[in-house]
Amino acid sequence: MATNTYKETINLPKTDFPMKGNLPQTEPHMIKAWEANKIYEKMVSQNDPANKFVMPDGPPYANGNIHVGHVLNKVLKDIIIKYKNMCGQRAAFIPGWDCHGLPIELKVTKRLGSKGKEMSPQQIRQECRKEALKWVDTQREQFIRLGILAQWDKPYLTLSPDYEAAEIRVLAKIQKNGILYRGEKPVYWCTKLQTALAAAEVEYHDHTSPSIFVKFFLKPEDQQKIKNLPDPQKPLAFVIWTTTPWTLPANLAIALHPQFSYGLYEANSEYWIIAKDLKESFEKETGVSLKGPFKEFKGKELEGLKTQHPFMQRDSIIVLGEHVTLDAGTGCVHTAPGHGLEDYQVGLKYNLPTLS
């Protein structure tokens, strides 16, 4: 282990209260002395550049005063950086800030109020930039007051042109290597703020929605593909169960699990297909008695059949999906690729449009 031989005397201003800590007055003088004597630069430069210790600083959001979480984060990092330098490693600490995203947009939107509706997107982005830079300066001063030694005069900011340019260069390298993929996926959208939401930004509250069972009748030409029906003239329907009935207008398919067993039952002078393991719970939930099963199928045997959407003039096809469970419902899952990630992924597999 390398030994630290650096020594220097720092003269702090004398106080009028020698028996007291008098910290609110003493600490700023101490920090100024550290800055004047370039303590951070001397601590880092005394060690061999070839013996580096690198610790990326996950950036905080530049959208408000620091809190106890920031304190814990930065103090622990400061301890590590100082320890590594004392061990003879060159450990620089380059702080950074995340200057984009909903928290900053939200602050600006609230501050602008009705005035924001009269502004262009470019003008609002400029306001967001000003807001972020204001909090970068505020948080930097607060972190310095914690006694954190760092390269505070040259932080990295996600809104700086050189940082954005570096992102473009990395993207170009990914594309050049042939591993760039462009696709789509459903994202959460805030209708009030008119902005996309990350999953971590969504807050869930208890909510009760109606769940419904819906019949999707097999199209006559596809019903003929099912052999040995007791009565080929009797209408046949797949019964789905959903807790999001408001997404039914966007239904394009019904998902079955390829390995589950499905039964053909008779009810109300019709044939219904549901998962065999859910027959009893279905009868209890609906109050409908099912006769049968008259036939049994594996989900994979029914793939590709077409049903008629119950109230839209379009087909709803039978698809297969491993996400289908026997926890509740019928084992026949209403699928709307424009509403939900699993539905979207199934839609990609079967080349279904993303209808919303």
Side-chain angles (χ1 to χ4, degrees), residues 36-160:
N37 287 274
K38 298 187 178 300
I39 297 302
Y40 168 76
E41 290 80 2
K42 292 174 180 177
M43 176 183 73
V44 175
S45 63
Q46 68 178 334
N47 295 321
D48 185 357
N51 187 20
K52 284 186 178 180
F53 174 80
V54 179
M55 183 176 65
D57 180 31
Y61 267 128
N63 74 315
N65 291 303
I66 66 172
H67 50 68
V68 69
H70 292 105
V71 174
L72 179 63
N73 180 292
K74 284 292 186 289
V75 168
L76 289 176
K77 289 176 179 176
D78 185 60
I79 291 171
I80 293 171
I81 291 296
K82 288 172 179 172
Y83 167 74
K84 289 296 183 179
N85 278 288
M86 292 170 69
C87 291
Q89 292 183 276
R90 179 170 288 207
F93 187 24
I94 303 173
W97 276 272
D98 186 347
C99 304
H100 299 98
L102 181 63
I104 295 168
E105 294 174 16
L106 187 57
K107 272 186 171 289
V108 170
T109 302
K110 286 182 177 179
R111 175 167 57 79
L112 292 175
S114 59
K115 181 183 175 182
K117 296 180 181 179
E118 303 171 2
M119 299 173 67
S120 68
Q122 291 84 355
Q123 290 173 321
I124 293 177
R125 282 198 292 270
Q126 283 301 316
E127 290 299 314
C128 289
R129 182 184 183 90
K130 293 176 185 176
E131 181 77 12
L133 291 175
K134 178 187 78 172
W135 288 112
V136 165
D137 290 338
T138 299
Q139 290 189 5
R140 174 170 27 215
E141 292 303 315
Q142 293 171 341
F143 287 139
I144 290 173
R145 282 302 307 273
L146 293 176
I148 312 300
L149 295 183
Q151 194 171 313
W152 293 115
D153 59 332
K154 295 180 180 179
Y156 72 89
L157 307 177
T158 60
L159 59 65
S160 63

Side-chain angles (χ1 to χ4, degrees), residues 229-267:
L229 287 174
D231 184 354
Q233 303 305 314
K234 191 173 293 186
L236 189 160
F238 287 82
V239 182
I240 66 98
W241 174 75
T242 179
T243 58
T244 57
W246 52 272
T247 64
L248 280 171
N251 173 279
L252 294 174
I254 299 170
L256 311 181
H257 194 287
Q259 301 304 324
F260 288 172
S261 293
Y262 291 84
L264 178 77
Y265 300 94
E266 185 179 13

Side-chain angles (χ1 to χ4, degrees), residues 218 220-233 236 264 271 273 294-297 301-302 305:
L218 200 57
E221 59 270 26
D222 281 66
Q223 184 165 329
Q224 296 175 6
K225 298 176 183 179
I226 298 182
K227 305 300 182 182
N228 302 320
L229 287 174
D231 184 354
Q233 303 305 314
L236 189 160
L264 178 77
Y271 290 130
I273 291 179
F294 296 100
K295 286 181 69 69
E296 294 183 21
F297 316 88
E301 299 176 53
L302 302 170
L305 294 177

